[in-house]
Amino acid sequence: MSSPHTLSRIRAAVAWSSPIEKQFATLQARCALAGAVLERWSDEAGQPTYTLRRGAACVSLDSAEAVETWLATSTREDAATWS
């Protein structure tokens, strides 16, 4: 019986292709610890944009630095204000 996780998928999950990918994975983990989900999208010009979701609330940010600022000012206690 084969595993649902092939070796190539496991390697892909831990082998980031660039420092930007590693930075994004770190930001995702930090957001998860703050109770939020971070997603990255590309706008029409190909520039990254970030979406933070916590509960039913959603915030759009234009840079990794803006996500860092959100993380610095956000706490688990203010999660109630997002719901």
Side-chain angles (χ1 to χ4, degrees):
M1 184 159 177
S2 67
S3 168
H5 302 289
T6 64
L7 185 55
S8 62
R9 285 187 186 163
I10 294 169
R11 284 187 185 147
V14 296
W16 297 286
S17 60
S18 71
I20 293 171
E21 292 299 319
K22 183 177 179 184
Q23 176 193 31
F24 177 65
T26 301
L27 285 174
Q28 277 187 309
R30 291 179 58 207
C31 287
L33 290 171
V37 175
L38 177 66
E39 297 175 310
R40 182 177 59 192
W41 309 89
S42 293
D43 64 12
E44 298 82 25
Q47 297 299 312
T49 183
Y50 300 85
T51 302
L52 275 165
R53 289 183 293 120
R54 185 188 275 171
C58 186
V59 175
S60 182
L61 301 168
D62 61 356
S63 68
E65 291 77 18
V67 176
E68 291 278 357
T69 301
W70 181 87
L71 283 166
T73 59
S74 178
T75 63
R76 278 202 165 283
E77 289 76 33
D78 68 6
T81 63
W82 279 55
S83 301

